[in-house]
Amino acid sequence: MHAIWTIAKRELASFFDSLIAYIMLVLFLGFSGFFTWLFGSNIFFTGQASLGTFFSVAYWTLFFFIPALTMRLLAEENKTGTIELLLTKAVTDRQVVIGKFLSTLMLIAIALLFTLPYVITVANLGNLDIGRVICGYFGLLLMSAAYIAIGLYASSITSNQIVAFLTALFIGLFFHLIFGVLSNNFTSWMGHVFETLSLSDHFQSISRGVLDSRDVIYFLSIVFLGLFLAEYSLSRRNIEPPSRHGDGLMRSKLYVSIALIVGIVIAVNLLSDEYHLRLDLTENHAYTLSHATKDILKHLDEPVTVTAYFSKDLPPRVLKARRDFQDLLIEYANRSRGMLMYKFIDPNGKESDEQAATKSGIRPVVINVREKDQMKQQKAFMGAIVSLGKNKQVIPFLGPGSSMEYALSSAIKKLSVTHKPVIGFLQGNGEPSLREMPQATKQLQVLYQTQPVTLTDSTFIPSDIKTMAVIAPADSFSTTNLPQLDTFLARGGRLLLAINRVNGNMRMGRGTAVHTGLGGWLRDKGIVVGKNFVVDAQCASIQMQQQQQSFFNFQTSIPFPYFPVISQFAKHPVTSGLESVIMRFASTIRYTGDSSVKFTPLAFTSALSDSLEAPQFFSLQKQWTQNDFTQKKLVVAAALQGHLSGNREDPPSKMVVIGDGDFAVNGPPRQAQQLQPDNVSLLSNAIDWLSDDTGLIALRTKGITSRPIREISDASKTILKYLNFLLPILLAIGYGLIRARKTRRTRLQRMHEDYAALP
């Protein structure tokens, strides 16, 4: 081990004593910084607190730079004959190869270390998933190790550095690109083989935030084979066979050894595919069974059967969904203690199976498949049926990237719940119907029955309803309706209020106050929903039609601060897992009551926000500046617990108040708009918390990956862009200058006539 470390340190020092290391560092950091911060889909353009752009750039730049680093490691020594001198010392071929491998890997690690300013900057701009970042860097190191091993082998078989560079690049191209392309052009087992060999698939698997033993073994296998072949190439030069017969025998033994090693590596990878471990490092454990799922499986009283209908002969990118679902079912079966069973059926195999799948509600999708250099369309089934007793739930589509755990767990939960609580939705005061909230209704119906409730002078809220939702009323409440809400709270009822205190008319360009009577009713309880418009620099965009001189109309997207994007949330079950909610004409909320009620702010505006009293006139041409946003962290949603009826002798109740009534409304069926997933989750989470059932909250928001960065001024953006682009490069150059000065001082010291006498 001492010899290996000595060689590694010598080689690393030789890198930094020449221009090789600095050229590599400057080019790598220059390319990475340019594409991550300045060009195209940079971090500020995507608006996400993620280093995905950097990992994508580094994935390609390292692929080209590593062969340039490894081409001289053995080829130059072969050419100059220094390899023979090195091997005459008390070191083995293996020690030489491993030492040079470690030196190059340390250089790559140093290059990646210089990019830490990227991590620090993005972490301060938004909610960066550190687990994904760690796995991304680890994936780059594993990929680099694989290409270094390939480069060492290429350098060991020639004395020409250019040949070594091109050979390493040619071999690496198969792993980096060609195998991945071939996997998409073949189906069945051949596609799976090419996908397994594709380095990009394994790198993407790790960079998503999961350390899978299959991916680690794959990279280590390439490293092992590359170093083994490099060692074999060196040892072959030192063989002096006594005769041709001895030469042939020695070659046969070497070939047998190589075949045996390759066979062992293949066997290890095949076994790892069957028996593997995973370590989920993502922040919300996106790829690990949640506590909600484990709790559902733990309390199963009857066996559950999952019949998965998946076509087999599909491209690997689509077939991956089948393997992911199968892995998920294995975990479910293990956690259920034998209460969950599953089977896979290929509907394309038999006509009866295809008819059964279609009859059950699983519709095939049409995908393009390449076969014999031609593209053809093929029906693909990717769905499942969950059965419990005589009841069934259909999951019609389980494609790549879909939230499989939520779909499966909610289906099991829906079947296993014997009594669903009723959630009442108030009607009769201009509220949207349940048909105008299809996303929210579909999500709620997993655990609840949704029922419209209309109040009259002689009717009350039914006794079987424990939770009521009042969403976006537009008309005034009668003098009898509001006391009925008080009666509901007095019996311990739970109330969700999403109200519009202001409304905006985009055609008229004007915003006015809305009077329904709920504002005064809430004020009597100490809850003040302001008659104001929240404006925020972190906002959604709207489409505006413009006309040019050529009389052509075109649509342009402009930020509209009256549509704030809420990304600051309290740590509370109602906002668990939420990352961004888009509101439209929201109002502020504050509490002025006494301590008998616990007031908890839930959602806040950004650090650049403000509130404008109604009425307001909207100007789409207005150029908003930082001076227009003088406030920060304004409350737009809150939870309350206590004696909300006003009588301390009544049982305590709960209430959630949201300063925007339209955040979860899709609109009339023909004009329905698709909502942000978090908008629907906010409503569902609030209902769960009010109903004392928070079991699926974490699971519902598990698949949401939006991590918006906080809004900053254009000047600050420019500073951060160029600081992150230039700082790593300047640090690398600065280190080079310091090292060069130190080396020069040492050289002059050694040239001194009294050098031997110096301490």
Side-chain angles (χ1 to χ4, degrees):
M1 190 64 191
H2 177 72
I4 292 175
W5 183 240
T6 301
I7 294 171
K9 287 194 298 183
R10 191 202 72 169
E11 288 295 329
L12 187 62
S14 70
F15 276 129
F16 283 104
D17 287 337
S18 64
L19 289 176
I20 295 175
Y22 304 105
I23 292 174
M24 181 269 178
L25 285 173
V26 170
L27 287 176
F28 171 72
L29 296 172
F31 274 105
S32 300
F34 179 72
F35 286 102
T36 303
W37 294 100
L38 300 178
F39 179 80
S41 299
N42 62 73
I43 286 174
F44 288 108
F45 179 81
T46 60
Q48 295 294 308
S50 167
L51 287 175
T53 302
F54 163 67
F55 293 136
S56 299
V57 174
Y59 174 76
W60 280 99
T61 52
L62 289 174
F63 168 68
F64 288 102
F65 288 154
I66 289 173
L69 290 173
T70 58
M71 67 182 184
R72 59 174 284 276
L73 291 179
L74 294 174
E76 185 180 16
E77 302 217 38
N78 285 332
K79 182 178 181 180
T80 59
T82 54
I83 188 67
E84 305 294 340
L85 179 62
L86 180 61
L87 294 175
T88 58
K89 299 184 179 294
V91 293
T92 63
D93 300 333
R94 183 172 302 169
Q95 289 171 333
V96 171
V97 170
I98 296 176
K100 290 177 177 289
F101 167 80
L102 290 177
S103 67
T104 313
L105 187 60
M106 285 190 288
L107 179 59
I108 299 298
I110 292 171
L112 294 175
L113 193 65
F114 277 113
T115 64
L116 283 182
Y118 301 175
V119 181
I120 296 171
T121 301
V122 177
N124 282 280
L125 286 173
N127 182 23
L128 181 65
D129 192 334
I130 299 300
R132 290 180 188 267
V133 172
I134 293 172
C135 285
Y137 276 103
F138 186 63
L140 289 177
L141 282 175
L142 286 175
M143 182 195 76
S144 301
Y147 286 140
I148 292 169
I150 292 173
L152 273 170
Y153 168 66
S155 185
S156 70
I157 61 176
T158 181
S159 58
N160 188 308
Q161 294 186 37
I162 302 300
V163 173
F165 172 78
L166 294 176
T167 302
L169 207 60
F170 177 75
I171 297 173
L173 192 62
F174 280 88
F175 292 95
H176 204 77
L177 183 64
I178 294 177
F179 286 141
V181 173
L182 290 175
S183 70
N184 291 325
N185 292 333
F186 288 90
T187 58
S188 190
W189 66 271
M190 288 189 66
H192 179 56
V193 169
F194 286 126
E195 184 192 23
T196 303
L197 291 172
S198 173
L199 186 143
S200 62
D201 288 335
H202 293 279
F203 174 74
Q204 289 172 6
S205 176
I206 291 179
S207 61
R208 64 180 177 161
V210 177
L211 291 181
D212 194 310
S213 59
R214 292 172 291 186
D215 300 320
V216 176
I217 289 174
Y218 167 82
F219 284 109
L220 294 181
S221 297
I222 297 178
V223 172
F224 178 76
L225 284 176
L227 297 183
F228 170 76
L229 292 174
E231 180 189 353
Y232 159 71
S233 180
L234 287 183
S235 62
R236 189 177 58 176
R237 293 173 176 271
N238 300 324
I239 296 175
E240 296 291 344
S243 63
R244 288 189 177 183
H245 175 72
D247 185 19
L249 183 62
M250 184 66 71
R251 288 180 182 274
S252 298
K253 289 183 177 179
L254 286 172
Y255 292 150
V256 170
S257 299
I258 293 174
L260 185 62
I261 292 294
V262 172
I264 292 173
V265 169
I266 293 174
V268 169
N269 280 269
L270 289 174
L271 285 173
S272 72
D273 201 38
E274 293 294 328
Y275 307 99
H276 55 272
L277 299 173
R278 293 195 315 165
L279 181 61
D280 188 352
L281 297 181
T282 56
E283 184 179 0
N284 60 349
H285 299 291
Y287 304 97
T288 303
L289 291 186
S290 65
H291 292 295
T293 294
K294 295 175 184 176
D295 188 61
I296 292 170
L297 297 174
K298 181 180 177 182
H299 291 91
L300 284 178
D301 296 325
E302 294 183 60
V304 172
T305 302
V306 180
T307 305
Y309 289 95
F310 273 83
S311 302
K312 283 187 177 180
D313 295 330
L314 299 174
R317 59 182 174 81
V318 181
L319 199 61
K320 186 177 183 299
R322 184 186 192 278
R323 292 197 300 273
D324 290 343
F325 192 56
Q326 186 172 0
D327 290 344
L328 186 66
L329 286 174
I330 291 172
E331 290 193 60
Y332 271 62
N334 293 336
R335 286 282 180 179
S336 68
R337 297 166 295 141
M339 295 297 287
L340 185 140
M341 296 163 286
Y342 65 90
K343 59 181 177 180
F344 278 80
I345 296 176
D346 177 14
N348 300 108
K350 293 182 181 179
E351 186 176 349
S352 59
D353 291 335
E354 181 175 341
Q355 291 177 351
T358 305
K359 186 177 180 181
S360 299
I362 299 176
R363 299 286 184 265
V365 294
V366 179
I367 61 172
N368 293 322
V369 178
R370 182 182 292 274
E371 188 173 296
K372 296 181 179 179
D373 297 327
Q374 292 183 347
M375 294 296 295
K376 71 172 187 177
Q377 290 188 327
Q378 177 179 328
K379 289 192 300 183
F381 288 85
M382 293 179 285
I385 298 173
V386 184
S387 306
L388 190 150
K390 295 182 179 180
N391 298 320
K392 295 181 179 180
Q393 280 291 316
V394 178
I395 307 175
F397 183 71
L398 289 164
S402 61
S403 183
M404 293 182 177
E405 185 185 352
Y406 177 68
L408 185 55
S409 293
S410 58
I412 297 173
K413 180 79 171 179
K414 194 171 184 178
L415 289 171
S416 60
V417 172
T418 55
H419 174 71
K420 293 183 179 180
V422 180
I423 305 298
F425 281 80
L426 192 64
Q427 301 287 286
N429 303 283
E431 296 91 350
S433 66
L434 292 176
R435 293 181 60 216
E436 296 179 65
M437 297 183 285
Q439 282 180 262
T441 304
K442 181 180 178 180
Q443 201 168 91
L444 288 172
Q445 285 177 345
V446 174
L447 297 177
Y448 309 102
Q449 299 179 57
T450 55
Q451 175 181 316
V453 176
T454 302
L455 297 179
T456 65
D457 294 344
S458 59
T459 60
F460 292 87
I461 298 174
S463 58
D464 62 333
I465 295 179
K466 307 298 181 187
T467 302
M468 280 287 297
V470 182
I471 309 294
D475 302 332
S476 297
F477 280 70
S478 68
T479 55
T480 59
N481 289 164
L482 294 177
Q484 287 173 331
L485 293 180
D486 279 320
T487 302
F488 176 69
L489 291 175
R491 74 182 197 211
R494 317 298 174 84
L495 191 61
L496 168 63
L497 286 176
I499 63 173
N500 293 321
R501 291 286 278 143
V502 292
N503 188 32
N505 188 320
M506 297 300 296
R507 290 184 179 180
M508 301 292 294
R510 188 180 182 204
T512 57
V514 176
H515 301 280
T516 62
L518 274 177
W521 181 76
L522 285 171
R523 190 179 297 107
D524 292 340
K525 300 181 184 301
I527 308 163
V528 179
V529 183
K531 289 188 290 186
N532 53 37
F533 291 88
V534 167
V535 289
D536 200 320
Q538 181 176 291
C539 60
S541 297
I542 62 172
Q543 297 296 320
M544 184 177 71
Q545 192 174 62
Q546 292 186 350
Q547 186 176 11
Q548 292 183 328
Q549 293 181 352
S550 57
F551 303 104
F552 286 105
N553 294 332
F554 67 97
Q555 296 283 339
T556 182
S557 180
I558 62 169
F560 193 58
Y562 290 91
F563 288 1
V565 176
I566 306 301
S567 59
Q568 303 293 322
F569 301 100
K571 190 175 181 180
H572 192 276
V574 173
T575 52
S576 174
L578 301 183
E579 290 174 355
S580 63
V581 172
I582 298 177
M583 293 188 173
R584 293 172 289 177
F585 304 120
S587 300
T588 60
I589 299 173
R590 58 190 177 90
Y591 183 66
T592 60
D594 56 36
S595 59
S596 64
V597 174
K598 180 182 178 182
F599 177 81
T600 306
L602 296 177
F604 312 88
T605 60
S606 74
L608 293 173
S609 57
D610 211 332
S611 61
L612 306 176
E613 292 296 321
Q616 285 290 321
F617 291 92
F618 310 137
S619 174
L620 299 182
Q621 284 75 31
K622 179 178 179 177
Q623 299 296 318
W624 294 80
T625 67
Q626 190 169 344
N627 294 330
D628 293 312
F629 307 105
T630 60
Q631 301 184 67
K632 62 181 180 179
K633 297 196 71 173
L634 300 173
V635 179
V636 292
L640 298 99
Q641 292 174 272
H643 301 282
L644 297 172
S645 65
N647 188 345
R648 292 178 182 266
E649 296 181 0
D650 291 335
S653 54
K654 292 181 179 180
M655 186 187 298
V656 172
V657 181
I658 300 173
D660 173 28
D662 302 313
F663 77 97
V665 179
N666 297 89
R670 292 185 179 180
Q671 304 173 8
Q673 299 178 350
Q674 190 72 14
L675 298 175
Q676 184 105 334
D678 273 352
N679 282 47
V680 182
S681 294
L682 175 59
L683 176 66
S684 301
N685 289 359
I687 294 292
D688 286 344
W689 179 73
L690 290 169
S691 305
D692 294 324
D693 189 348
T694 58
L696 286 181
I697 284 181
L699 186 58
R700 182 182 296 123
T701 56
K702 191 173 180 179
I704 298 170
T705 56
S706 175
R707 292 176 176 269
I709 60 175
R710 61 182 177 85
E711 191 66 29
I712 58 175
S713 65
D714 291 339
S716 299
K717 286 182 182 178
T718 303
I719 292 172
L720 288 176
K721 283 181 178 181
Y722 284 96
L723 181 65
N724 280 277
F725 173 65
L726 294 173
L727 181 61
I729 297 175
L730 294 176
L731 288 175
I733 294 174
Y735 174 76
L737 294 174
I738 293 172
R739 184 178 177 87
R741 184 176 180 182
K742 183 179 178 181
T743 303
R744 183 172 178 274
R745 189 188 305 118
T746 303
R747 189 183 302 115
L748 292 174
Q749 206 172 27
R750 288 176 177 174
M751 293 172 61
H752 196 278
E753 60 180 357
D754 297 328
Y755 172 71
L758 293 175

